[in-house]
Amino acid sequence: MTKQNFAIIGLGRFGGSICETLASAGAEVLVIDKDEARINDYKNIATQAVIADAQDENTLKELGIRNFDHVVIAIGEDIQASILVTLMVKELGVKYVTAKAQNEYHARVLTKLGVDKVIHPERDMGIRIGRNLISKNMLDYLDLSSDIKVAEIRITSRNFVDKSLESLNFRNKYSLNVIAIRREKKVEIAPQAAMALKLGDSLLVVGRKKDVENFDKLMEQ
Amino acid sequence: MTKQNFAIIGLGRFGGSICETLASAGAEVLVIDKDEARINDYKNIATQAVIADAQDENTLKELGIRNFDHVVIAIGEDIQASILVTLMVKELGVKYVTAKAQNEYHARVLTKLGVDKVIHPERDMGIRIGRNLISKNMLDYLDLSSDIKVAEIRITSRNFVDKSLESLNFRNKYSLNVIAIRREKKVEIAPQAAMALKLGDSLLVVGRKKDVENFDKLMEQ
Ligand SMILES: Nc1ncnc2c1ncn2[C@@H]1O[C@H](COP(=O)(O)OP(=O)(O)OP(=O)(O)O)[C@@H](O)[C@H]1O
Ligand SMILES: Nc1ncnc2c1ncn2[C@@H]1O[C@H](COP(=O)(O)OP(=O)(O)OP(=O)(O)O)[C@@H](O)[C@H]1O
Ligand SMILES: [Ca+2]
Ligand SMILES: [Ca+2]
Ligand SMILES: [Ca+2]
Ligand SMILES: [Ca+2]
């Protein structure tokens, strides 16, 4: 397999972090930003770093943007630039394009232009943090569907301490599957049913939203 | 249990999304922004919406900020304002403070000032998107520890089609636990060992990073 190659346009916090993640996984990364200071920050991390306004179609052509497997458009505040660059990148024939959206209208335009994945970094992180604030014992990890989720719930109720999943008849009683138990720094995957729970252990569970929330509420008792 | 109450200072995308999440969960939410347009956007969502510069200590006192369970400081570009407001909020005695950081230095100052949870929304979402771009069959969900992760891997290799987890001797052969199987819109939690896999099914697995990555690589064959 040849190395995957990526182009990232816009090195704000979001684009910059994508650049670091891809480069540290060994991918080829071209970065483009019109701000020289940003390019200087990433020139030793990326494979190639170019100071340019990505709205200039000749620049995109000269850089051979059409030959990249994926292009990420991480321009933020300048929505007009984001849209124009997206249009050109798609017209030049790039297969897979990911773009950051500032709001719902921006997202709709990007989708119409053929963007494969539209991302709302701040909004999605806000949802996540909001959910974690609502329930401090619950780390709300992911919605597998509109009805099923994975979450991590800290055992803060003495009603569960020194009991095992088996003695609690856990799966039947709470309708949840325990995927892992975190105790201090250690994570036990596929934990023994006979293992006694301690205060402060966290259970990583999968189940229906309602069941996850009901179990979390028991921690307040 | 009385309703939890939250104050959010700064209604950018991140702060605004936290406001919506908390309000839709039924929490009491006070929002403060110096920009009238932002306050207008959220005045029907939040319990109370105030146009003010949060750097004004009298405003914070008059709003009774010390009586809030949690305060979220979601000021972005104006790092100086973020730091000053954090200082005042902590000095007024708020127990639990979450704050957005723009960079590593900002984060260190916030931590020294006593912020309980420092968030880097764009950076963290960039890491996540970067990982997903590296492996398009793998949705990289969460690191349970430095060594163990949960990920969703799409079955794209014909070597797995029409085989069951049982016939594949899945757990022993790949050292992974299957938490759920996604087939089209349906998610099967605690799937039957005899269920035959189809092309395009996704397996939600938990295991050591190396084992998750090795299994993901098999999808390229
Ligand atoms: N036309 C353009 N050509 C090249 N780079 C651009 C262009 N327009 C904006 N950029 C760059 O994109 C980067 C991100 O833009 P901006 O700072 O507006 O986004 P942001 O949403 O605030 O970013 P973040 O929230 O991820 O930090 C900046 O470094 C900016 O210089
Ligand atoms: N001193 C202040 N008092 C009240 N509100 C403030 C203050 N400083 C900034 N804000 C508000 O905070 C909000 C977020 O700030 P800003 O837009 O700089 O952050 P951002 O990081 O770009 O946000 P995001 O990336 O989440 O959209 C803005 O609505 C701004 O009006
Ligand atoms: Ca910016
Ligand atoms: Ca910004
Ligand atoms: Ca902004
Ligand atoms: Ca931002």
Side-chain angles (χ1 to χ4, degrees):
Chain A
M1 205 181 59
T2 58
K3 272 195 179 180
Q4 292 188 80
N5 63 4
F6 298 86
I8 301 172
I9 301 172
L11 289 169
R13 278 165 287 271
F14 179 61
S17 168
I18 293 176
C19 170
E20 287 184 35
T21 305
L22 294 175
S24 76
E28 306 264 352
V29 188
L30 161 70
V31 293
I32 306 171
D33 201 293
K34 63 181 181 173
D35 181 344
E36 184 174 355
R38 295 289 170 96
I39 290 295
N40 284 335
D41 286 345
Y42 289 92
K43 67 170 184 245
N44 296 322
I45 297 168
T47 318
Q48 192 185 355
V50 177
I51 307 167
D53 186 332
Q55 295 175 95
D56 176 16
E57 191 160 11
N58 284 328
T59 302
L60 296 180
K61 282 185 182 158
E62 280 162 23
L63 290 168
I65 208 86
R66 66 159 79 235
N67 301 319
F68 283 81
D69 298 325
H70 315 256
V71 174
V72 178
I73 299 163
I75 296 174
E77 270 139 74
D78 189 348
I79 292 182
Q80 189 180 325
S82 157
I83 290 172
L84 187 57
V85 172
T86 299
L87 177 78
M88 294 190 303
V89 163
K90 283 308 285 186
E91 284 191 351
L92 287 169
V94 173
K95 276 256 183 57
Y96 198 88
V97 176
T98 296
K100 174 183 173 169
Q102 297 292 86
N103 57 52
E104 213 32 69
Y105 301 104
H106 187 194
R108 269 147 67 183
V109 174
L110 295 173
T111 303
K112 288 250 163 79
L113 294 176
V115 167
D116 301 277
K117 200 175 173 98
V118 175
I119 318 276
H120 299 258
E122 296 93 350
R123 186 195 69 184
D124 291 352
M125 199 56 71
I127 293 171
R128 192 156 174 173
I129 299 300
R131 289 182 181 178
N132 291 349
L133 284 172
I134 283 289
S135 167
K136 275 214 235 150
N137 293 320
M138 179 159 96
L139 269 169
D140 191 338
Y141 280 131
L142 70 125
D143 294 344
L144 287 178
S145 73
S146 60
D147 191 37
I148 291 171
K149 69 156 76 189
V150 174
E152 184 170 333
I153 296 171
R154 205 148 57 90
I155 300 294
T156 55
S157 161
R158 302 216 165 257
N159 298 338
F160 291 84
V161 172
D162 293 332
K163 308 258 166 70
S164 68
L165 297 178
E166 198 167 45
S167 71
L168 289 164
N169 190 13
F170 195 89
R171 190 188 307 214
N172 290 322
K173 188 142 180 207
Y174 304 108
S175 304
L176 296 174
N177 283 317
V178 176
I179 301 163
I181 298 181
R182 186 197 301 278
R183 176 167 297 169
E184 281 151 26
K185 300 240 167 290
K186 231 179 135 313
V187 175
E188 197 70 54
I189 44 182
Q192 300 295 320
M195 172 178 168
L197 297 177
K198 289 192 189 171
L199 206 68
D201 282 356
S202 286
L203 305 189
L204 188 77
V205 299
V206 60
R208 295 192 181 282
K209 275 190 189 177
K210 224 175 86 339
D211 296 320
V212 174
E213 280 157 19
N214 286 341
F215 180 65
D216 176 50
K217 286 211 189 86
L218 297 177
M219 292 307 134
E220 285 159 17
Q221 291 167 3
Chain B
M1 204 182 60
T2 57
K3 273 195 181 182
Q4 292 187 78
N5 63 5
F6 298 87
I8 301 172
I9 300 172
L11 289 169
R13 278 165 288 271
F14 179 60
S17 169
I18 294 176
C19 170
E20 287 184 36
T21 305
L22 294 175
S24 77
E28 306 265 351
V29 188
L30 162 70
V31 293
I32 306 171
D33 200 293
K34 63 183 180 172
D35 180 344
E36 183 174 356
R38 296 290 170 95
I39 289 295
N40 283 335
D41 287 345
Y42 289 92
K43 66 169 184 246
N44 296 322
I45 297 168
T47 319
Q48 191 185 357
V50 177
I51 307 167
D53 186 332
Q55 295 174 95
D56 175 17
E57 191 160 10
N58 283 329
T59 302
L60 295 179
K61 281 185 182 159
E62 280 161 23
L63 290 167
I65 208 84
R66 66 159 78 235
N67 301 320
F68 283 80
D69 298 325
H70 314 257
V71 174
V72 179
I73 298 163
I75 296 174
E77 270 139 75
D78 189 346
I79 292 182
Q80 189 180 325
S82 158
I83 291 172
L84 187 57
V85 172
T86 299
L87 176 78
M88 293 190 305
V89 163
K90 284 306 286 187
E91 283 191 353
L92 286 169
V94 173
K95 275 258 183 58
Y96 198 87
V97 176
T98 295
K100 174 183 174 170
Q102 297 293 86
N103 56 53
E104 214 31 70
Y105 301 104
H106 186 194
R108 269 148 67 183
V109 174
L110 295 173
T111 303
K112 288 251 163 81
L113 293 177
V115 166
D116 301 277
K117 201 177 173 96
V118 175
I119 319 276
H120 298 257
E122 296 94 348
R123 187 195 68 184
D124 291 352
M125 199 55 73
I127 294 171
R128 191 155 176 175
I129 299 300
R131 289 182 181 177
N132 291 348
L133 284 172
I134 284 287
S135 166
K136 276 214 234 149
N137 293 319
M138 179 158 95
L139 270 169
D140 192 338
Y141 279 130
L142 71 125
D143 294 343
L144 287 178
S145 72
S146 60
D147 191 37
I148 292 170
K149 69 156 77 188
V150 174
E152 183 169 331
I153 296 172
R154 206 149 55 90
I155 300 293
T156 55
S157 161
R158 303 217 166 256
N159 298 338
F160 291 86
V161 172
D162 293 332
K163 308 258 166 69
S164 68
L165 297 178
E166 198 167 44
S167 71
L168 289 164
N169 190 14
F170 195 89
R171 190 188 306 212
N172 289 322
K173 188 142 180 208
Y174 305 108
S175 304
L176 297 174
N177 283 318
V178 176
I179 301 163
I181 299 181
R182 186 197 301 278
R183 176 168 296 170
E184 281 152 24
K185 299 241 166 292
K186 229 177 134 321
V187 175
E188 197 70 54
I189 44 182
Q192 300 294 318
M195 172 178 169
L197 296 177
K198 290 191 188 172
L199 207 67
D201 282 356
S202 286
L203 305 189
L204 188 77
V205 298
V206 60
R208 295 194 180 280
K209 276 189 189 177
K210 224 175 86 343
D211 296 319
V212 174
E213 281 157 19
N214 286 341
F215 180 65
D216 176 52
K217 287 212 188 86
L218 296 177
M219 292 308 134
E220 285 159 17
Q221 291 167 2

